[in-house]
Amino acid sequence: MTAYTATVTVRLKRGVLDPEAETTQQALERLGFDLSDLRSADRFEVDLDAADADEAAARADEMAERLLANPTIHDYDVAVAER
Amino acid sequence: MTAYTATVTVRLKRGVLDPEAETTQQALERLGFDLSDLRSADRFEVDLDAADADEAAARADEMAERLLANPTIHDYDVAVAER
């Protein structure tokens, strides 16, 4: 078994309203920053032990499917690195 | 001017309690997943135009300092890519 960290990034699908990102962008603009868009995402770093990187990625993927992401409104991606 | 996307990742400093991450970890464990730790972070993807990557990174860094992160409890890092 090897120790891995799987990083799951969960973002809203294109077209889904994101009022938090919109408010953050407006606040930055009020502070004088010039930006054309801002998107927010959640990032989960999961430490787990697995036989190899493929198994770690498969388990993180299942965690995203079952709990971390809502497939109706979210896309996600998984990246695995040895810890 | 070139179009860049600056990704600002904001995490809680080590030692700061993270009840959301703790609850998420417990929920995954109840679903039968085996993991040793889980940390959550916020990720902001900021689209902006800048003369070069260094200028884009410097502006994203200032956004993090002034609004996106709370220096008392957060660490952050900035990564810049051409869009």
Side-chain angles (χ1 to χ4, degrees):
Chain A
M1 300 291 261
T2 315
Y4 293 95
T5 297
T7 302
V8 182
T9 306
V10 179
R11 359 176 120 61
L12 288 168
K13 287 186 175 170
R14 228 161 250 290
V16 178
L17 290 180
D18 187 348
E20 182 194 340
E22 210 173 301
T23 307
T24 307
Q25 179 172 352
Q26 285 165 4
L28 285 169
E29 285 166 349
R30 268 199 301 276
L31 287 171
F33 290 108
D34 184 25
L35 58 161
S36 38
D37 194 25
L38 184 146
R39 295 170 298 282
S40 66
D42 285 324
R43 187 184 149 113
F44 300 95
E45 298 170 1
V46 183
D47 292 344
L48 72 178
D49 296 324
D52 56 37
D54 284 349
E55 193 208 305
R59 275 168 53 202
D61 201 83
E62 206 191 328
M63 292 180 198
E65 289 281 345
R66 292 195 57 194
L67 186 85
L68 304 176
N70 173 347
T72 310
I73 55 168
H74 289 139
D75 286 325
Y76 67 87
D77 58 65
V78 173
V80 168
E82 261 189 61
R83 176 151 45 96
Chain B
M1 298 292 260
T2 315
Y4 292 96
T5 297
T7 302
V8 182
T9 306
V10 179
R11 1 175 120 58
L12 287 167
K13 286 185 176 171
R14 230 162 247 290
V16 178
L17 290 179
D18 186 350
E20 183 195 340
E22 211 173 298
T23 307
T24 306
Q25 180 172 352
Q26 286 165 4
L28 285 169
E29 285 165 349
R30 269 198 303 277
L31 287 171
F33 289 107
D34 185 26
L35 59 161
S36 38
D37 193 25
L38 184 147
R39 296 170 297 283
S40 67
D42 286 323
R43 187 184 148 111
F44 299 94
E45 297 169 2
V46 183
D47 292 345
L48 72 178
D49 296 324
D52 55 37
D54 284 348
E55 192 208 306
R59 274 168 53 200
D61 200 84
E62 207 192 327
M63 291 180 198
E65 289 282 345
R66 293 194 56 193
L67 186 85
L68 303 177
N70 173 346
T72 310
I73 55 168
H74 290 138
D75 285 325
Y76 67 87
D77 58 66
V78 174
V80 168
E82 259 188 64
R83 174 150 48 93

